[in-house]
Every structure is written in C-alpha cells, then in structure tokens.
Amino acid sequence: MSIPREKWGTKLGFILAASGSAVGIGNIWKYPHMAGQNGGAAFTLIYLICIFVVGLSIVIGEFALGRKTQLSPVGAYLTIAPKSLWKWVGFLGVASAYVILSFYGVVGGWIMNYAFLSMKGDFELLSGNPEASSQLFNAFITSTWSPLFWQLLFMFICIYVIVNGVKGGIEKWSKIMMPTIIIILIVLAVRGLSLPNGLSALTFLFKPKFADLSASAIVLALGHSFFTLSLGMGTMITYGSYLKKNENLLSSALWVIGLDTLIALIAGVAIFSTVFALGADPAEGAGLIFVVLPSVFPEIPGGQIWGTLFFLILFMAALTSAISILEVVTAYFIDQKGWSRSRATIVFGGTITIVGVFCSLSLGDNLNITWFLGMSFFDFMDYLSSKYMLPIGGMLMAIFILKTWSVEEFLREVYVGMDSKKISSQLVTILLSIGALVIAFIILNEIVEKLFGSPIIG
Ligand code: PFF
C-alpha cells in the first residue's frame, strides 16, 4: 500500500486533462442544440452566469478536496469526516460514473462510426437531404450489432488510456488531443464564417433574443452547467488528488472553465455558420449533429474533409471526458480496495460497457425497456444522471464545505500554492449557499414536474 500516489507531470498537463474532462459531447453536441432552441445568445448569457456563479466555486471545492486528501471521492470524504455519512456522497459519485459512462460510451461509438462514414465519403448520398440523413441515423442507432461494435471499440480505447496511468495515459493523451481539438475547431469556425451567410451565426449566438428565453431554458442552463463542467460526481476531486501542493487552484479552475466555455462557443460558431450558410434549421434539436450536419457537409467544397475533421474532434472530446468518468471508478478501487490500476480499469470498464450494451439495445425493438418512467433505458440513464445524480452530488459537496469541512479550512487548502490570500470567506459562503439553494430548487422543480405534470417554473 506504500506505492506513492501518481501525479500530473506539469500544470499544463493537469489543466488539459481537467478541461479535457469538461469539454465533451456536452460542449459540441448538447450546448449548440440547446442554444439553437432557446434564444441563442440569451441562453448563452444565462449559461455563462450559471457557470461562473454556481460552477466556479464547486470546481475549486472539488479540486481542493482532492488535493487536500490526495484521495478519490469516497476516501476524500472519509478523511475529512470519518465515521460520518458523507462517504455516501463519494459512493454516489462512483454510481454516477457507472450511469453516465454507460450511455456516454454508446454515443462515443456513434461518433466514431460517423467519422468513419464521413471519411469513406458516405455523406455524399445525404447531400441536402436531411430526411435521408435522419433515416440513416435512426436505422443505425436502432440496429443491434453496428452500434455495439463501435461502443466496444470506444470503451476499449478508453480502458487502454487509463491502464497507462495518470501521467503516461490520461495526461499524455489529453496533451495531444486538447490542442488538436482547439486548432481544428478554430479552422472549422473560420471556414464556416467564410461561407455565404455564415456570419449570421455570430448574430444568432451573440445577440440576445430575450423573448425566446423561457423559464425552462434557465433551468436547462443550470443543469447543463453541471454536466459540462463534469461536476457533482467527483471527477474533479479525483483529478485534484493527483495535484502537487504548489499548484494554484483558483487559476487552474479559471483555465478549465474558460477553455470549456470557449470551446462550446467556438463549436457553436462552427456548427451554426455551416447550418445558416446552407439554410438548414438551427432549432433542429438533438439531431443537429447526426442529422443536419451530415446532410450539409457534402454541400460545401471539401465537405468530406470538414465532416471527417468535425467528427474526429468530437470523438477526441468524448474520449477525454469518458476517461475522466472511468478514472473515478478506477481510482476508488485503487485507493480504497488496493486493486492494481489495470485490474480495476479492465474489470469496471468491462462492466460499465455491459450496462452500456443494454442502453444501446434499448433504442431498438429488440429490448424494449420502456418501464423506466416511460422512456428508453438509454434516455433514463441520461435523465437520471443529468437531472438528479450530478446536481445532488454538487449540492451535497457545497453543503459539505459549508457545514462539515468549514469555509476556513477549505480556504486554507485553496491558499496553498497561491500568492495572494485575500479571498473573502463571506463571498465563498454566499456563492456556495446560492449554488446549493439553486440546485435544490432545480431538483425540486423536476420532482414536482414528474409528480404533478407541470413544474414550478418552466
Ligand atoms: N463534461 C462532459 C461533457 O460536457 O460532455 C460530460 C461529463 C464528463 C460529465 C465527466 C460528468 C463527468 F464526470
């Protein structure tokens, strides 16, 4: 048990790994279609407020708890509050990892298949024909073997990266993939803006239309700020536990949040400029990526290359997030059960993949599991994690700092590695309290909607 804890090689490596966790399907798929359907810039504004008011303090909270204890969530809570119930918040994180990665791995597989289809030139057949594109997508995700093949491949790559360790696997690959994502995304955005009418994307994304902003969009933006920053399940606690004591947690958190937001916005520009140039519907919703884009890429010169590059970076973004989710489970078995890294990763990566197989099959007719609140098992896992598990985990984390760890002790840890030690503890208390209350309200709103058919707001 005396093996020294693995550590990030450099601060840059840590920032790229943590922002790799944050930047994922949520930024490139979920954010653009949510903004597209909810008033463009008005949604973005609310999203930014949520990220900076609620998200920032919880990101720093997770980093600090991990670095202080040098342990993943269960051990971290146990160290600060032994013999208390707080360890269950850690277990909730491990359970959330299971739930999220099961469907995330399936979507990761879809993305790989789409990169492959684009590379082969198969989008040509869909040119200017979103109906054909929609049929292809539906036929693919409801089929049995093809999505499973791609999901297994995606999960295999994910397991491979983690088996190679914190520095030699997660950090090494994040350092390659994150800069690649940023560069290609900028190229795609510039390319999109240079298309005729492409500039309308900027007006759409950055000029607020408050009339289109409903109360439910505000709730959506709050929920999404958790998902996009990978908060509420201990990912950032786990990544923080591999930090050396001399890193500045505040600046690291600002980098991670800044990169996450910037990448979501650039993805929005890249996608909407293409959509507007080709006269497609920006409010298409979840089908924006898998239905609209494959039908518009072939219409632009060099579309085969642009389409392939787009799905390639989406794959990288999904992979860097998926590895951070699996690392939460792996780290628990290493820290608390003394397992080796490869054994923990292979056993639990394998079992999560099996749950994912059921997610994938639930979309077809073979396994019609609709008894989970009337939705498919796939949708249920997404719903359960983003509407309940992550917000509850984040809220309890905020309460843990306020009530058990104490804001003073928390700030003492934050100050390690910082030159200025002037963060107001009142401000931290206010931000964490607002965070916890707002999240409690969202969860209540959701429960009221499920029980009585209409939410308190929304
Ligand atoms: N932040 C990721 C995204 O935006 O796609 C999703 C995610 C990763 C959620 C890791 C939670 C997590 F622990």
Side-chain angles (χ1 to χ4, degrees):
M1 296 259 25
S2 59
I3 307 164
R5 189 161 193 78
E6 292 182 83
K7 289 274 185 287
W8 302 110
T10 58
K11 175 169 179 168
L12 179 70
F14 162 65
I15 289 175
L16 290 178
S19 50
S21 166
V23 172
I25 299 173
N27 302 61
I28 305 180
W29 180 31
K30 279 191 171 181
Y31 162 73
H33 85 245
M34 284 176 176
Q37 285 181 314
N38 294 289
F43 180 83
T44 303
L45 199 67
I46 302 293
Y47 166 79
L48 290 179
I49 295 174
C50 299
I51 288 211
F52 282 95
V53 175
V54 183
L56 179 63
S57 45
I58 299 186
V59 175
I60 301 176
E62 291 208 7
F63 282 165
L65 183 58
R67 190 181 64 177
K68 165 88 190 160
T69 58
Q70 299 282 295
L71 287 170
S72 56
V74 175
Y77 283 107
L78 269 173
T79 307
I80 307 260
K83 300 200 190 76
S84 72
L85 292 177
W86 284 109
K87 66 169 185 269
W88 288 99
V89 182
F91 284 122
L92 177 69
V94 177
S96 308
Y98 246 88
V99 172
I100 298 185
L101 194 51
S102 62
F103 74 84
Y104 210 88
V106 174
V107 182
W110 296 351
I111 295 166
M112 286 179 84
N113 180 31
Y114 267 63
F116 184 63
L117 289 179
S118 176
M119 205 166 69
K120 283 196 309 169
D122 285 7
F123 288 172
E124 275 314 316
L125 302 168
L126 311 174
S127 183
N129 189 349
E131 284 80 42
S133 185
S134 164
Q135 271 169 14
L136 176 93
F137 179 58
N138 283 322
F140 166 60
I141 65 168
T142 54
S143 64
T144 305
W145 298 109
S146 180
L148 289 186
F149 166 77
W150 290 106
Q151 179 218 353
L152 291 186
L153 190 60
F154 181 84
M155 290 301 297
F156 177 81
I157 300 174
C158 185
I159 291 170
Y160 168 80
V161 172
I162 297 200
V163 165
N164 281 294
V166 173
K167 198 166 146 195
I170 304 175
E171 179 170 350
K172 177 175 151 195
W173 286 102
S174 303
K175 273 168 132 172
I176 297 172
M177 289 194 279
M178 284 307 286
T180 312
I181 294 174
I182 296 172
I183 294 168
I184 297 183
L185 209 48
I186 292 176
V187 173
L188 283 169
V190 172
R191 163 78 231 176
L193 289 174
S194 68
L195 294 171
N197 203 28
L199 286 171
S200 325
L202 296 182
T203 323
F204 177 72
L205 276 171
F206 299 114
K207 187 158 167 259
K209 280 189 281 165
F210 287 104
D212 290 355
L213 189 70
S214 61
S216 67
I218 300 176
V219 177
L220 200 67
L222 268 164
H224 186 61
S225 62
F226 263 79
F227 188 82
T228 191
L229 291 177
S230 309
L231 295 179
M233 53 165 275
T235 312
M236 297 300 176
I237 300 179
T238 309
Y239 274 18
S241 75
Y242 304 128
L243 270 176
K244 297 180 193 123
K245 285 287 181 193
N246 56 359
E247 300 302 0
N248 182 326
L249 298 185
L250 176 63
S251 76
S252 304
L254 286 171
W255 267 107
V256 172
I257 293 185
L259 279 174
D260 185 72
T261 310
L262 201 68
I263 291 182
L265 294 179
I266 305 177
V269 172
I271 292 169
F272 287 118
S273 52
T274 315
V275 165
F276 281 116
L278 278 301
D281 180 10
E284 168 69 30
L288 194 59
I289 297 287
F290 292 108
V291 175
V292 178
L293 289 184
S295 70
V296 295
F297 275 130
E299 293 189 274
I300 54 177
Q304 187 170 346
I305 297 174
W306 300 119
T308 309
L309 286 178
F310 178 80
F311 282 101
L312 184 73
I313 56 164
L314 187 53
F315 156 70
M316 291 181 182
L319 184 64
T320 48
S321 297
I323 55 185
S324 73
I325 304 175
L326 184 53
E327 179 63 16
V328 172
V329 186
T330 299
Y332 166 72
F333 282 91
I334 297 175
D335 290 348
Q336 303 306 118
K337 303 283 170 202
W339 285 32
S340 73
R341 171 166 284 276
S342 33
R343 180 174 169 216
T345 314
I346 293 169
V347 169
F348 292 97
T351 49
I352 292 175
T353 306
I354 295 171
V355 182
V357 166
F358 288 96
C359 287
S360 181
L361 292 180
S362 77
L363 296 175
D365 293 332
N366 297 333
L367 188 75
N368 206 350
I369 321 178
T370 48
W371 36 272
F372 294 95
L373 298 174
M375 49 183 106
S376 69
F377 185 54
F378 179 100
D379 288 335
F380 176 73
M381 296 302 249
D382 184 10
Y383 173 78
L384 184 68
S385 53
S386 48
K387 297 271 168 147
Y388 296 99
M389 297 177 92
L390 296 185
I392 290 176
M395 176 183 73
L396 292 174
M397 158 89 215
I399 298 175
F400 173 76
I401 296 179
L402 290 166
K403 293 277 208 212
T404 305
W405 194 13
S406 87
V407 172
E408 285 65 36
E409 283 301 313
F410 159 66
L411 279 179
R412 190 164 310 178
E413 179 60 29
V414 174
Y415 286 149
V416 179
M418 267 178 87
D419 294 333
S420 128
K421 304 194 179 348
K422 287 202 210 87
I423 303 174
S424 140
S425 61
Q426 275 103 323
L427 179 69
V428 174
T429 309
I430 292 171
L431 287 178
L432 288 172
S433 311
I434 294 179
L437 284 170
V438 164
I439 305 161
F441 179 75
I442 304 178
I443 298 166
L444 183 72
N445 200 42
E446 191 60 39
I447 295 175
V448 168
E449 178 173 12
K450 276 287 156 234
L451 292 181
F452 304 106
S454 66
I456 307 168
I457 66 160

